[in-house]
mmCIF file of all heavy atoms in Angstrom:
data_model
loop_
_atom_site.group_PDB
_atom_site.id
_atom_site.type_symbol
_atom_site.label_atom_id
_atom_site.label_comp_id
_atom_site.label_asym_id
_atom_site.label_seq_id
_atom_site.Cartn_x
_atom_site.Cartn_y
_atom_site.Cartn_z
ATOM 1 N N SER A 28 82.593 -40.319 -3.175
ATOM 2 C CA SER A 28 81.264 -39.719 -2.821
ATOM 3 C C SER A 28 81.134 -39.519 -1.399
ATOM 4 O O SER A 28 81.338 -40.428 -0.688
ATOM 5 C CB SER A 28 80.128 -40.661 -3.328
ATOM 6 O OG SER A 28 80.241 -41.911 -2.704
ATOM 7 N N PRO A 29 80.756 -38.260 -0.951
ATOM 8 C CA PRO A 29 80.772 -38.041 0.585
ATOM 9 C C PRO A 29 79.520 -38.639 1.098
ATOM 10 O O PRO A 29 78.469 -38.823 0.502
ATOM 11 C CB PRO A 29 80.597 -36.463 0.514
ATOM 12 C CG PRO A 29 79.881 -36.144 -0.763
ATOM 13 C CD PRO A 29 80.529 -37.099 -1.822
ATOM 14 N N SER A 30 79.596 -39.063 2.353
ATOM 15 C CA SER A 30 78.510 -39.707 3.073
ATOM 16 C C SER A 30 77.494 -38.556 3.546
ATOM 17 O O SER A 30 78.028 -37.461 3.755
ATOM 18 C CB SER A 30 79.039 -40.403 4.345
ATOM 19 O OG SER A 30 79.892 -41.531 3.951
ATOM 20 N N PRO A 31 76.253 -38.822 3.594
ATOM 21 C CA PRO A 31 75.292 -37.880 3.937
ATOM 22 C C PRO A 31 75.503 -37.468 5.392
ATOM 23 O O PRO A 31 75.978 -38.258 6.230
ATOM 24 C CB PRO A 31 73.922 -38.610 3.830
ATOM 25 C CG PRO A 31 74.348 -40.004 3.821
ATOM 26 C CD PRO A 31 75.653 -40.170 3.231
ATOM 27 N N ASP A 32 75.218 -36.195 5.754
ATOM 28 C CA ASP A 32 75.396 -35.738 7.085
ATOM 29 C C ASP A 32 74.230 -36.186 7.916
ATOM 30 O O ASP A 32 73.111 -35.691 7.906
ATOM 31 C CB ASP A 32 75.432 -34.183 7.136
ATOM 32 C CG ASP A 32 75.705 -33.621 8.488
ATOM 33 O OD1 ASP A 32 76.067 -34.373 9.334
ATOM 34 O OD2 ASP A 32 75.354 -32.402 8.735
ATOM 35 N N TYR A 33 74.411 -37.289 8.729
ATOM 36 C CA TYR A 33 73.406 -37.860 9.494
ATOM 37 C C TYR A 33 73.713 -38.095 10.916
ATOM 38 O O TYR A 33 74.725 -38.554 11.247
ATOM 39 C CB TYR A 33 73.111 -39.340 8.812
ATOM 40 C CG TYR A 33 72.179 -40.161 9.655
ATOM 41 C CD1 TYR A 33 70.826 -39.996 9.614
ATOM 42 C CD2 TYR A 33 72.718 -41.123 10.597
ATOM 43 C CE1 TYR A 33 70.026 -40.715 10.380
ATOM 44 C CE2 TYR A 33 71.892 -41.952 11.279
ATOM 45 C CZ TYR A 33 70.486 -41.664 11.230
ATOM 46 O OH TYR A 33 69.700 -42.488 12.106
ATOM 47 N N HIS A 34 72.766 -37.683 11.746
ATOM 48 C CA HIS A 34 72.854 -37.862 13.144
ATOM 49 C C HIS A 34 71.575 -38.335 13.624
ATOM 50 O O HIS A 34 70.629 -37.557 13.612
ATOM 51 C CB HIS A 34 73.369 -36.620 13.932
ATOM 52 C CG HIS A 34 74.680 -36.073 13.396
ATOM 53 N ND1 HIS A 34 75.892 -36.634 13.677
ATOM 54 C CD2 HIS A 34 74.821 -34.973 12.523
ATOM 55 C CE1 HIS A 34 76.837 -35.922 13.040
ATOM 56 N NE2 HIS A 34 76.212 -35.013 12.363
ATOM 57 N N PHE A 35 71.461 -39.591 14.160
ATOM 58 C CA PHE A 35 70.150 -40.004 14.621
ATOM 59 C C PHE A 35 69.703 -39.274 15.984
ATOM 60 O O PHE A 35 70.465 -39.270 16.926
ATOM 61 C CB PHE A 35 70.097 -41.511 14.913
ATOM 62 C CG PHE A 35 68.583 -42.026 15.083
ATOM 63 C CD1 PHE A 35 67.881 -42.279 13.974
ATOM 64 C CD2 PHE A 35 68.136 -41.979 16.337
ATOM 65 C CE1 PHE A 35 66.573 -42.663 14.116
ATOM 66 C CE2 PHE A 35 66.779 -42.350 16.611
ATOM 67 C CZ PHE A 35 65.980 -42.657 15.564
ATOM 68 N N ILE A 36 68.473 -38.754 15.842
ATOM 69 C CA ILE A 36 67.992 -38.102 17.095
ATOM 70 C C ILE A 36 66.498 -38.516 17.280
ATOM 71 O O ILE A 36 65.932 -39.044 16.287
ATOM 72 C CB ILE A 36 68.027 -36.553 17.018
ATOM 73 C CG1 ILE A 36 67.373 -36.105 15.723
ATOM 74 C CG2 ILE A 36 69.402 -36.078 16.988
ATOM 75 C CD1 ILE A 36 67.318 -34.545 15.563
ATOM 76 N N ASP A 37 66.098 -38.359 18.376
ATOM 77 C CA ASP A 37 64.632 -38.740 18.734
ATOM 78 C C ASP A 37 63.691 -37.969 17.919
ATOM 79 O O ASP A 37 63.867 -36.840 17.497
ATOM 80 C CB ASP A 37 64.412 -38.581 20.259
ATOM 81 C CG ASP A 37 63.007 -39.002 20.696
ATOM 82 O OD1 ASP A 37 62.694 -40.195 20.304
ATOM 83 O OD2 ASP A 37 62.314 -38.286 21.349
ATOM 84 N N VAL A 38 62.538 -38.593 17.626
ATOM 85 C CA VAL A 38 61.498 -37.931 16.786
ATOM 86 C C VAL A 38 61.024 -36.648 17.345
ATOM 87 O O VAL A 38 60.526 -35.737 16.645
ATOM 88 C CB VAL A 38 60.274 -38.899 16.643
ATOM 89 C CG1 VAL A 38 60.701 -40.067 15.685
ATOM 90 C CG2 VAL A 38 59.737 -39.328 18.016
ATOM 91 N N GLN A 39 61.190 -36.374 18.674
ATOM 92 C CA GLN A 39 60.745 -35.165 19.266
ATOM 93 C C GLN A 39 61.767 -34.118 19.330
ATOM 94 O O GLN A 39 61.552 -32.909 19.769
ATOM 95 C CB GLN A 39 60.201 -35.426 20.682
ATOM 96 C CG GLN A 39 58.980 -36.400 20.785
ATOM 97 C CD GLN A 39 58.536 -36.612 22.225
ATOM 98 O OE1 GLN A 39 59.365 -36.921 22.996
ATOM 99 N NE2 GLN A 39 57.227 -36.501 22.386
ATOM 100 N N SER A 40 63.015 -34.416 18.905
ATOM 101 C CA SER A 40 64.139 -33.509 19.136
ATOM 102 C C SER A 40 64.572 -32.749 17.933
ATOM 103 O O SER A 40 65.528 -31.976 17.999
ATOM 104 C CB SER A 40 65.348 -34.455 19.521
ATOM 105 O OG SER A 40 65.044 -35.167 20.740
ATOM 106 N N HIS A 41 63.831 -32.737 16.860
ATOM 107 C CA HIS A 41 64.247 -31.942 15.640
ATOM 108 C C HIS A 41 63.923 -30.395 16.034
ATOM 109 O O HIS A 41 62.892 -30.027 16.528
ATOM 110 C CB HIS A 41 63.429 -32.305 14.475
ATOM 111 C CG HIS A 41 63.710 -33.721 13.991
ATOM 112 N ND1 HIS A 41 64.898 -33.960 13.298
ATOM 113 C CD2 HIS A 41 63.019 -34.926 14.090
ATOM 114 C CE1 HIS A 41 64.907 -35.299 13.040
ATOM 115 N NE2 HIS A 41 63.747 -35.899 13.471
ATOM 116 N N ARG A 42 64.928 -29.617 15.526
ATOM 117 C CA ARG A 42 64.788 -28.180 15.775
ATOM 118 C C ARG A 42 63.729 -27.547 14.940
ATOM 119 O O ARG A 42 63.050 -26.692 15.299
ATOM 120 C CB ARG A 42 66.168 -27.457 15.520
ATOM 121 C CG ARG A 42 67.327 -27.921 16.478
ATOM 122 C CD ARG A 42 68.505 -27.071 16.210
ATOM 123 N NE ARG A 42 68.881 -27.075 14.785
ATOM 124 C CZ ARG A 42 69.689 -28.067 14.318
ATOM 125 N NH1 ARG A 42 70.074 -29.065 15.060
ATOM 126 N NH2 ARG A 42 70.037 -27.956 13.032
ATOM 127 N N ASN A 43 63.546 -27.999 13.634
ATOM 128 C CA ASN A 43 62.589 -27.424 12.753
ATOM 129 C C ASN A 43 62.347 -28.480 11.763
ATOM 130 O O ASN A 43 62.926 -29.595 11.651
ATOM 131 C CB ASN A 43 63.145 -26.183 12.161
ATOM 132 C CG ASN A 43 64.609 -26.334 11.492
ATOM 133 O OD1 ASN A 43 64.754 -27.179 10.570
ATOM 134 N ND2 ASN A 43 65.506 -25.543 11.991
ATOM 135 N N LEU A 44 61.297 -28.135 10.822
ATOM 136 C CA LEU A 44 60.880 -29.149 9.854
ATOM 137 C C LEU A 44 62.013 -29.389 8.746
ATOM 138 O O LEU A 44 62.041 -30.497 8.275
ATOM 139 C CB LEU A 44 59.534 -28.617 9.192
ATOM 140 C CG LEU A 44 58.348 -28.548 10.022
ATOM 141 C CD1 LEU A 44 57.162 -27.997 9.249
ATOM 142 C CD2 LEU A 44 58.056 -29.894 10.643
ATOM 143 N N SER A 45 62.822 -28.325 8.501
ATOM 144 C CA SER A 45 63.806 -28.585 7.484
ATOM 145 C C SER A 45 64.853 -29.608 8.033
ATOM 146 O O SER A 45 65.259 -30.465 7.192
ATOM 147 C CB SER A 45 64.481 -27.220 7.230
ATOM 148 O OG SER A 45 65.564 -27.397 6.284
ATOM 149 N N SER A 46 65.275 -29.521 9.273
ATOM 150 C CA SER A 46 66.331 -30.483 9.769
ATOM 151 C C SER A 46 65.772 -31.848 9.824
ATOM 152 O O SER A 46 66.345 -32.837 9.560
ATOM 153 C CB SER A 46 66.761 -29.965 11.205
ATOM 154 O OG SER A 46 65.739 -30.045 12.134
ATOM 155 N N MET A 47 64.414 -31.920 10.239
ATOM 156 C CA MET A 47 63.728 -33.171 10.204
ATOM 157 C C MET A 47 63.730 -33.770 8.864
ATOM 158 O O MET A 47 64.101 -35.090 8.785
ATOM 159 C CB MET A 47 62.234 -32.972 10.720
ATOM 160 C CG MET A 47 61.458 -34.306 10.731
ATOM 161 S SD MET A 47 59.662 -33.912 10.694
ATOM 162 C CE MET A 47 59.474 -33.259 9.013
ATOM 163 N N ALA A 48 63.402 -33.132 7.866
ATOM 164 C CA ALA A 48 63.286 -33.652 6.439
ATOM 165 C C ALA A 48 64.751 -34.064 6.011
ATOM 166 O O ALA A 48 64.862 -35.160 5.453
ATOM 167 C CB ALA A 48 62.773 -32.595 5.585
ATOM 168 N N LYS A 49 65.767 -33.309 6.284
ATOM 169 C CA LYS A 49 67.070 -33.655 5.906
ATOM 170 C C LYS A 49 67.554 -34.898 6.577
ATOM 171 O O LYS A 49 68.223 -35.762 6.092
ATOM 172 C CB LYS A 49 68.063 -32.472 6.199
ATOM 173 C CG LYS A 49 67.901 -31.336 5.303
ATOM 174 C CD LYS A 49 68.901 -30.190 5.689
ATOM 175 C CE LYS A 49 68.647 -28.965 4.749
ATOM 176 N NZ LYS A 49 69.536 -27.799 5.182
ATOM 177 N N ASN A 50 67.306 -35.000 7.844
ATOM 178 C CA ASN A 50 67.628 -36.203 8.671
ATOM 179 C C ASN A 50 66.968 -37.503 8.197
ATOM 180 O O ASN A 50 67.693 -38.537 8.125
ATOM 181 C CB ASN A 50 67.400 -35.933 10.137
ATOM 182 C CG ASN A 50 68.209 -36.858 11.090
ATOM 183 O OD1 ASN A 50 67.668 -37.853 11.594
ATOM 184 N ND2 ASN A 50 69.452 -36.462 11.229
ATOM 185 N N ILE A 51 65.679 -37.343 7.872
ATOM 186 C CA ILE A 51 64.920 -38.572 7.481
ATOM 187 C C ILE A 51 65.585 -38.985 6.049
ATOM 188 O O ILE A 51 65.724 -40.218 5.822
ATOM 189 C CB ILE A 51 63.476 -38.327 7.335
ATOM 190 C CG1 ILE A 51 62.904 -38.087 8.735
ATOM 191 C CG2 ILE A 51 62.736 -39.411 6.535
ATOM 192 C CD1 ILE A 51 61.505 -37.705 8.832
ATOM 193 N N CYS A 52 65.753 -38.060 5.161
ATOM 194 C CA CYS A 52 66.334 -38.413 3.833
ATOM 195 C C CYS A 52 67.756 -38.963 4.042
ATOM 196 O O CYS A 52 68.027 -39.958 3.339
ATOM 197 C CB CYS A 52 66.349 -37.151 2.912
ATOM 198 S SG CYS A 52 64.716 -36.595 2.446
ATOM 199 N N ALA A 53 68.540 -38.419 4.881
ATOM 200 C CA ALA A 53 69.933 -38.901 5.020
ATOM 201 C C ALA A 53 69.918 -40.304 5.586
ATOM 202 O O ALA A 53 70.683 -41.157 5.170
ATOM 203 C CB ALA A 53 70.693 -37.985 6.019
ATOM 204 N N SER A 54 68.972 -40.647 6.591
ATOM 205 C CA SER A 54 68.934 -41.966 7.120
ATOM 206 C C SER A 54 68.555 -42.956 6.042
ATOM 207 O O SER A 54 68.959 -44.099 6.023
ATOM 208 C CB SER A 54 67.988 -42.042 8.278
ATOM 209 O OG SER A 54 66.652 -41.828 7.916
ATOM 210 N N SER A 55 67.548 -42.591 5.158
ATOM 211 C CA SER A 55 67.179 -43.384 4.006
ATOM 212 C C SER A 55 68.329 -43.685 3.123
ATOM 213 O O SER A 55 68.447 -44.831 2.615
ATOM 214 C CB SER A 55 65.987 -42.891 3.330
ATOM 215 O OG SER A 55 64.836 -42.769 4.168
ATOM 216 N N ILE A 56 69.052 -42.660 2.753
ATOM 217 C CA ILE A 56 70.308 -42.822 1.885
ATOM 218 C C ILE A 56 71.258 -43.715 2.560
ATOM 219 O O ILE A 56 71.802 -44.657 1.848
ATOM 220 C CB ILE A 56 70.898 -41.429 1.582
ATOM 221 C CG1 ILE A 56 69.976 -40.623 0.751
ATOM 222 C CG2 ILE A 56 72.217 -41.631 0.938
ATOM 223 C CD1 ILE A 56 70.356 -39.204 0.635
ATOM 224 N N LEU A 57 71.534 -43.618 3.892
ATOM 225 C CA LEU A 57 72.398 -44.578 4.517
ATOM 226 C C LEU A 57 71.897 -46.016 4.516
ATOM 227 O O LEU A 57 72.740 -46.932 4.339
ATOM 228 C CB LEU A 57 72.697 -44.117 6.004
ATOM 229 C CG LEU A 57 73.758 -43.011 6.155
ATOM 230 C CD1 LEU A 57 73.764 -42.633 7.650
ATOM 231 C CD2 LEU A 57 75.083 -43.371 5.696
ATOM 232 N N ALA A 58 70.643 -46.183 4.655
ATOM 233 C CA ALA A 58 70.080 -47.474 4.642
ATOM 234 C C ALA A 58 70.312 -48.209 3.306
ATOM 235 O O ALA A 58 70.653 -49.327 3.296
ATOM 236 C CB ALA A 58 68.544 -47.464 4.966
ATOM 237 N N ILE A 59 70.155 -47.419 2.283
ATOM 238 C CA ILE A 59 70.361 -47.925 0.883
ATOM 239 C C ILE A 59 71.793 -48.214 0.692
ATOM 240 O O ILE A 59 72.151 -49.301 0.208
ATOM 241 C CB ILE A 59 69.810 -46.905 -0.108
ATOM 242 C CG1 ILE A 59 68.342 -46.767 -0.037
ATOM 243 C CG2 ILE A 59 70.196 -47.265 -1.510
ATOM 244 C CD1 ILE A 59 67.759 -45.621 -0.846
ATOM 245 N N GLU A 60 72.648 -47.362 1.053
ATOM 246 C CA GLU A 60 74.153 -47.474 0.915
ATOM 247 C C GLU A 60 74.729 -48.687 1.666
ATOM 248 O O GLU A 60 75.471 -49.520 1.174
ATOM 249 C CB GLU A 60 74.870 -46.197 1.258
ATOM 250 C CG GLU A 60 74.693 -45.091 0.237
ATOM 251 C CD GLU A 60 75.463 -43.927 0.615
ATOM 252 O OE1 GLU A 60 75.901 -43.760 1.810
ATOM 253 O OE2 GLU A 60 75.618 -42.935 -0.206
ATOM 254 N N ASP A 61 74.149 -48.774 2.906
ATOM 255 C CA ASP A 61 74.609 -49.959 3.802
ATOM 256 C C ASP A 61 74.153 -51.304 3.207
ATOM 257 O O ASP A 61 74.794 -52.328 3.239
ATOM 258 C CB ASP A 61 74.118 -49.815 5.147
ATOM 259 C CG ASP A 61 74.890 -48.713 6.022
ATOM 260 O OD1 ASP A 61 75.943 -48.251 5.451
ATOM 261 O OD2 ASP A 61 74.545 -48.409 7.042
ATOM 262 N N THR A 62 72.900 -51.315 2.718
ATOM 263 C CA THR A 62 72.334 -52.496 2.124
ATOM 264 C C THR A 62 73.072 -52.897 0.862
ATOM 265 O O THR A 62 73.398 -54.115 0.683
ATOM 266 C CB THR A 62 70.826 -52.280 1.816
ATOM 267 O OG1 THR A 62 70.105 -52.035 3.009
ATOM 268 C CG2 THR A 62 70.246 -53.502 1.037
ATOM 269 N N LEU A 63 73.586 -51.957 0.113
ATOM 270 C CA LEU A 63 74.418 -52.232 -1.050
ATOM 271 C C LEU A 63 75.779 -52.755 -0.720
ATOM 272 O O LEU A 63 76.309 -53.718 -1.190
ATOM 273 C CB LEU A 63 74.571 -51.014 -1.883
ATOM 274 C CG LEU A 63 75.423 -51.200 -3.192
ATOM 275 C CD1 LEU A 63 74.793 -52.245 -4.094
ATOM 276 C CD2 LEU A 63 75.559 -49.800 -3.992
ATOM 277 N N THR A 64 76.267 -52.228 0.455
ATOM 278 C CA THR A 64 77.554 -52.799 0.952
ATOM 279 C C THR A 64 77.456 -54.142 1.333
ATOM 280 O O THR A 64 78.386 -55.021 1.159
ATOM 281 C CB THR A 64 78.006 -51.853 2.170
ATOM 282 O OG1 THR A 64 78.208 -50.563 1.852
ATOM 283 C CG2 THR A 64 79.203 -52.472 2.865
ATOM 284 N N LEU A 65 76.299 -54.630 1.839
ATOM 285 C CA LEU A 65 76.160 -55.997 2.313
ATOM 286 C C LEU A 65 75.664 -56.948 1.159
ATOM 287 O O LEU A 65 75.606 -58.161 1.489
ATOM 288 C CB LEU A 65 74.963 -56.007 3.341
ATOM 289 C CG LEU A 65 75.392 -55.263 4.745
ATOM 290 C CD1 LEU A 65 74.127 -55.116 5.487
ATOM 291 C CD2 LEU A 65 76.371 -56.078 5.512
ATOM 292 N N PHE A 66 75.600 -56.409 -0.094
ATOM 293 C CA PHE A 66 75.023 -57.178 -1.113
ATOM 294 C C PHE A 66 75.895 -58.532 -1.357
ATOM 295 O O PHE A 66 77.101 -58.516 -1.489
ATOM 296 C CB PHE A 66 75.032 -56.365 -2.337
ATOM 297 C CG PHE A 66 74.535 -57.149 -3.601
ATOM 298 C CD1 PHE A 66 73.213 -57.535 -3.737
ATOM 299 C CD2 PHE A 66 75.406 -57.556 -4.620
ATOM 300 C CE1 PHE A 66 72.790 -58.301 -4.829
ATOM 301 C CE2 PHE A 66 75.029 -58.235 -5.779
ATOM 302 C CZ PHE A 66 73.676 -58.597 -5.832
ATOM 303 N N ASP A 67 75.175 -59.601 -1.423
ATOM 304 C CA ASP A 67 75.782 -60.942 -1.634
ATOM 305 C C ASP A 67 75.244 -61.518 -2.908
ATOM 306 O O ASP A 67 74.119 -61.989 -2.917
ATOM 307 C CB ASP A 67 75.498 -61.934 -0.417
ATOM 308 C CG ASP A 67 76.125 -63.205 -0.572
ATOM 309 O OD1 ASP A 67 76.498 -63.722 -1.569
ATOM 310 O OD2 ASP A 67 76.456 -63.821 0.602
ATOM 311 N N GLU A 68 75.985 -61.455 -3.979
ATOM 312 C CA GLU A 68 75.506 -61.939 -5.296
ATOM 313 C C GLU A 68 75.182 -63.406 -5.246
ATOM 314 O O GLU A 68 74.076 -63.754 -5.921
ATOM 315 C CB GLU A 68 76.624 -61.696 -6.304
ATOM 316 C CG GLU A 68 76.165 -62.029 -7.757
ATOM 317 C CD GLU A 68 77.120 -61.511 -8.855
ATOM 318 O OE1 GLU A 68 78.111 -60.710 -8.487
ATOM 319 O OE2 GLU A 68 76.999 -61.982 -9.966
ATOM 320 N N LYS A 69 75.937 -64.218 -4.586
ATOM 321 C CA LYS A 69 75.638 -65.689 -4.574
ATOM 322 C C LYS A 69 74.312 -65.917 -3.892
ATOM 323 O O LYS A 69 73.571 -66.727 -4.343
ATOM 324 C CB LYS A 69 76.785 -66.366 -3.825
ATOM 325 C CG LYS A 69 76.668 -67.890 -3.787
ATOM 326 C CD LYS A 69 77.818 -68.598 -3.173
ATOM 327 C CE LYS A 69 77.597 -70.145 -3.145
ATOM 328 N NZ LYS A 69 78.682 -70.812 -2.369
ATOM 329 N N ALA A 70 74.098 -65.205 -2.717
ATOM 330 C CA ALA A 70 72.783 -65.445 -2.061
ATOM 331 C C ALA A 70 71.607 -65.019 -2.863
ATOM 332 O O ALA A 70 70.575 -65.646 -2.925
ATOM 333 C CB ALA A 70 72.873 -64.659 -0.701
#
């Protein structure tokens, strides 16, 4: 599965609303994937 196209930029630096929406969604996807990567069943 390909990783989402994500590049963190400042809240004032989005070119348009579409790029802003894509970036926010991609960062949320990465947060979920990274959290799953760290999953510790014993803990």
Side-chain angles (χ1 to χ4, degrees):
S28 57
S30 298
D32 184 15
Y33 168 79
H34 303 284
F35 189 87
I36 55 179
D37 182 49
V38 291
Q39 295 178 314
S40 302
H41 293 286
R42 297 187 304 276
N43 51 58
L44 293 179
S45 179
S46 70
M47 177 200 68
K49 289 178 180 178
N50 200 258
I51 290 172
C52 289
S54 68
S55 295
I56 291 169
L57 276 178
I59 293 170
E60 290 181 341
D61 285 355
T62 297
L63 181 58
T64 297
L65 294 167
F66 177 69
D67 184 334
E68 186 172 345
K69 183 177 179 181

